[in-house]
Amino acid sequence: MSMITERPVSDSAGQPPVRTVTEVSATGRRDVRAVVAAYVALTKPRIVELLLVTTVPAMMLADGGMPSLWLVAVVLVGGSLAAGAASVLNCYIDRDIDQLMRRTKRRPLPAHTVSPRSALVFGLVLAGISVVLMAVATNWLAAGLTLAAIAYYDLVYTLWLKRTTAANTFWGGACGAAPVLIGWAAVTGSLAPAAWGLFAVVFFWQMPHFYALAIKYKADYARAGIPMLPVVASVRRVNAEIILFSWLTLLSSLAVWPLGMSPIYGVTALVVGGIFVVEAHKLCRRAARGEAVKPMRLFHWSTTYLTILFAAVALDALLQ
């Protein structure tokens, strides 16, 4: 982005420099863009994208094909607003620890780009709009799940579990897996075994995914006093949980296969799930030997794994 510099303009009497109308206008536009970018950053767009990756395929499987584009659009908008609201409120609650962590100190609240009060109002407004939209355009089950996910993530996980227990990632996992249930409920008004199966996949997947991130930023979490498992537990304990939950992710994905899925899904789940487990074992083997663990390799692959698996869910639903 190009920078706009002030150009001093003075008259012959030596009056103080003033800005031209053009410069004031340009500066105003730049400030507006910066404020908008700050509010967008509060919603953590990358997390929103990842959550939506699981929502639409779940809707397609629930419908047995492609749901109405109107319903998909409503759920995408409502889901994005809900996920964004949860992230904004998370930033508001965590503003004290975000300023202590190298990874988060440039977020809008620690950087004082957005005031805490403005962030709180913004998050609550987004949450209200998302729940009302889901209630009006889908059904009460989907709306209730949306509200429950926001409340659980911010009031139970962020405010309490994250700061008090090393099991915070496990107990907070329901929030990240909720979009699967919300998407399914929006289509059918109920929850079937396949919906719970996909919920289990995303739930178990979150442990190796976030443990890898916590290993990378272990010093940051320790500095902020957050008891993430890699901060407070032994390498052996962390390795055991990464391997356990990687296998549970694979097994959960295979358990969905007999629930109306074709070999398109089943073979994909077996292959990409197998690679996921292998990567988890590699990381843990390096950690046990005291070698450089490269945790972001597992972190990034886990994101790829989830994307490919749910793409297979969508393709399976379209071709059946």
Side-chain angles (χ1 to χ4, degrees), residues 136-156:
V136 171
T138 61
N139 55 66
W140 286 108
L141 177 58
L145 289 170
T146 300
L147 177 59
I150 296 171
Y152 188 91
Y153 180 71
D154 290 312
L155 300 180
V156 178

Side-chain angles (χ1 to χ4, degrees), residues 175-225:
C175 307
V180 172
L181 301 183
I182 293 169
W184 193 288
V187 173
T188 66
S190 61
L191 296 173
W196 288 108
L198 293 176
F199 173 90
V201 172
V202 183
F203 178 84
F204 291 129
W205 164 87
Q206 288 176 94
M207 265 58 77
H209 177 74
F210 285 111
Y211 286 163
L213 188 67
I215 291 171
K216 170 69 173 179
Y217 295 103
K218 179 179 176 179
D220 255 5
Y221 285 114
R223 188 180 304 112

Side-chain angles (χ1 to χ4, degrees), residues 125-140:
V125 168
L126 288 182
I129 294 174
S130 67
V131 174
V132 170
L133 178 62
M134 296 296 286
V136 171
T138 61
N139 55 66
W140 286 108

